[in-house]
Amino acid sequence: MSDPLLSLLERYWGYTAFRPMQREAMDAILAGRDSLVVMPTGGGKSLCFQVPALAHDNGLAIVVSPLIALMKDQVDTLVGNGVAAAGFHSGMTSDARQDVASGLVAGRYRLLYVAPERLVGEGSQSFRSLVGRQPVRFIAVDEAHCISQWGHDFRPEYRQLADLRRVWPDVSLHAFTATATARVRRDILSQLDLRNPAELVGSFDRPNLVYRVLIRSNLKRQLQDVLARHRGEAGIVYCQSRREVDALAEWLRESGVRAVPYHAGLADDERHRNQDAFLNEEIDVVVATVAFGMGIDRSDVRFVVHAGAPQSLEHYQQEAGRAGRDGLEAECLLIYSGGDFARWRAMAEESGDGAARRALLRDMERYAGSVGCRHRRLVGYFGERFEKDACGACDYCLGELEAMPNAIEIARKILSAVARVQQRFGVAHVINVLRGRDTEMVSGRGHQHLSVFGLFRDASADELRGYVDQLIARGLLRQTDDAYPVLQLTTEGVQLMKDAGAVSDLELARLKPPPKGTKSADRRTKTEVASWDGVDRELFEMLRSLRLSLARSRGVPPYVIFHDTTLRELARHRPRTIEALRHVYGVGARKADDLGEAVLEVIREHEAGARSS
Ligand code: ADP
Ligand code: ZN
């Protein structure tokens, strides 16, 4: 191969092609031109600076990282691939640090991971003198959004990075982040004082993620459905409160799922223990508040459920994006209720920037209640055009939602009901009236005599709630911000009541029942079927156990050994020789030497088992 970057990619990582934007990002680094690279989680940011760090036989690339866990993960992975990399941080023993220090002086490393305060600010001089004996090739600032107060992970230490430019005036700076908002981007550019930077913004679509939205009805049953689709697989369930986290984790454990809770109210050691158990594949499911976040590098997370709507699509994208980082199919399910938004609104009122937060919430609400391709919605929100007609990976495009042919008629009936109860009642009551339920409140107010009473006798409460949400998302109805939110008509809603032609292209959809004979849990996408095509499941599981025991004996998380993608390839092609093994996706030269025999052994064992049975 004549392309040097590509041959490095092949030799150390066992990959044969670049992902979108990686090439451009690496070129900027090699040209010594400052850059800002924005790519979604799982897009492959780290390789953008790791590969060019190997382009020279000497000199050092410095990577600034906000978390010890992140540094450890990346360094472990690099070392496993045979790359001369090291970290220098407070999570190491002083012996280990001493060792790295002498390695630095001897010019042993191509990549060094450190926290910002190590490089700049008080007391950083002595560390810099260790580094300074060899050429610093470039500095990569990972998770660069931490520098901005507008981001969701502001780290005051990152502010000191403004000094980098002064300390190393001739070294190019390269910022990497998954957070795309324009404000954060501007902040990064100015804080780091980037010079004529190449701004590279990758696509935010994650085609391997399947997005679904459900209205919260029976949460446990809804969770059971998802879990049935992902038995024994890794997942995260995000909840809005610590109490709910504890209750659900407990319930899952009782139902036989290997689950643990995670929230800021747990003691430090329990929190760390639970996080490590998840990263080391001792447990499958973490039930968590949003405190569970950055540093979750487990790449085989197959589902992320939100039991409750987050406060913005940025948050949603960030949290749901922890699924499927290995590029394999994964599911992102949002289970929400109108009350979630009311709660967030109440909180927004209390904070100083109420208006901004309300606007973000409105977009989240639109996403939840909308009918249409969810991939399109999401990338559209981040300012990108979606080129495909159908994504094949959301509830809408998979045909799990049924578009109602008489949307206008349905909408007008619901709007009339809201008007008839004088815009003084909440969703639940309006729905009871429409379904012709004789509740105490209905008879107490005499609402059984209204003309709208029982207009939807056959519809379920969920179905109607879905319509109401969609009408809110469409701006025909609104909910007040009171403790007991009341449904009201908007101006547009009033117009539609007066004139059926006032609103064009209104769509309403409901969840389609799964076809007869299939369980509701069995909703597999084409991508998912394809990614398992030809994979011997039994061998896959055997390789998974091998990975686990290798990881245990080496003291690293399993995904540092091999990704699921690689295990599936191995269980598909069943290589018999080291030479054949080298050609498998994700197996670099070092891994083939280091782990090849163990893998071949398992494959042989499996063949023998298959012959004798
Ligand atoms: P990010 O930091 O953007 O979240 P990572 O750098 O962790 O993403 O990459 C996500 C996954 O994709 C990793 O497992 C990585 O090995 C893999 N990956 C990155 N680039 C490529 C590539 N060119 N070909 C195949 N896999 C890749
Ligand atoms: Zn779609």
Side-chain angles (χ1 to χ4, degrees), residues 557-609:
Y559 52 82
V560 162
I561 304 282
F562 282 127
H563 284 310
D564 274 19
T565 341
T566 301
L567 293 193
R568 287 194 200 177
E569 283 287 288
L570 289 168
R572 182 180 283 125
H573 299 300
R574 282 161 278 177
R576 309 242 154 81
T577 62
I578 292 282
E579 188 43 38
L581 190 83
R582 269 182 213 279
H583 293 291
V584 172
Y585 174 94
V587 184
R590 165 65 64 100
K591 289 247 162 95
D593 286 349
D594 192 17
L595 311 171
E597 262 319 312
V599 169
L600 293 180
E601 179 63 38
V602 167
I603 295 175
R604 277 196 292 269
E605 189 189 321
H606 175 259
E607 307 268 290

Side-chain angles (χ1 to χ4, degrees), residues 221-421:
R221 203 200 60 229
Q222 291 172 316
L223 281 176
Q224 266 162 354
D225 261 5
V226 194
L227 287 162
R229 286 197 280 274
H230 301 282
R231 234 179 275 283
E233 296 179 340
I236 305 172
V237 178
Y238 280 114
C239 301
Q240 307 283 326
S241 72
R242 296 174 187 181
R243 215 174 27 150
E244 189 162 55
V245 165
D246 288 330
L248 278 181
E250 185 61 35
W251 169 74
L252 283 175
R253 256 205 296 248
E254 280 164 11
S255 346
V257 177
R258 300 194 301 171
V260 291
Y262 187 103
H263 56 68
L266 298 176
D268 276 358
D269 60 332
E270 183 175 5
R271 227 179 37 241
H272 287 143
R273 216 171 35 243
N274 289 354
Q275 169 161 343
D276 286 346
F278 182 66
L279 295 180
N280 294 325
E281 292 190 12
E282 286 152 28
I283 57 129
D284 297 322
V285 177
V286 179
V287 186
T289 58
V290 292
F292 188 66
M294 198 162 54
I296 306 312
D297 254 354
R298 185 166 173 178
S299 62
D300 66 341
V301 173
R302 297 270 77 85
F303 65 96
V304 173
V305 177
H306 278 78
Q311 53 180 316
S312 74
L313 275 173
E314 275 92 347
H315 284 86
Y316 186 63
Q317 158 103 359
Q318 188 81 21
E319 288 150 22
R322 303 203 166 105
R325 291 175 66 138
D326 52 15
L328 294 171
E329 77 290 339
E331 172 170 9
C332 305
L333 172 63
L334 169 64
I335 304 177
Y336 78 104
S337 68
D340 302 340
F341 298 107
R343 236 185 347 265
W344 284 123
R345 280 207 184 90
M347 284 166 68
E349 286 322 308
E350 285 163 23
S351 80
D353 51 354
R357 291 179 58 177
R358 271 200 307 275
L360 293 172
L361 260 180
R362 217 159 19 243
D363 290 322
M364 186 66 230
E365 196 167 13
R366 291 222 174 93
Y367 171 81
S370 67
V371 188
C373 177
R374 307 213 184 263
H375 281 262
R376 179 185 303 277
R377 275 257 154 187
L378 277 173
V379 302
Y381 178 76
F382 290 100
E384 192 181 325
R385 264 190 46 193
F386 192 64
E387 307 290 351
K388 288 181 267 185
D389 280 339
C391 71
C394 76
D395 47 7
Y396 182 78
C397 295
L398 289 167
E400 295 169 4
L401 300 177
E402 178 178 15
M404 305 308 285
N406 50 346
I408 295 283
E409 191 187 315
I410 294 173
R412 296 186 65 189
K413 286 177 178 169
I414 294 172
L415 297 175
S416 318
V418 172
R420 286 289 138 74
V421 300

Side-chain angles (χ1 to χ4, degrees), residues 6 9 13-20 22 26 39-50 74 77 81 142-143 176-178 206 297 299 321 324-327 559 563 565 585-586:
L6 204 55
L9 184 73
W13 282 270
Y15 301 143
T16 46
F18 291 111
R19 296 246 185 94
Q22 282 183 325
M26 293 180 196
M39 257 189 215
T41 312
K45 280 183 292 299
S46 3
L47 265 74
C48 296
F49 51 81
Q50 292 170 345
Q74 297 214 359
T77 306
N81 283 334
D142 205 4
E143 313 285 356
F176 294 83
T177 175
R206 302 272 310 273
D297 254 354
S299 62
R325 291 175 66 138
D326 52 15
Y559 52 82
H563 284 310
T565 341
Y585 174 94

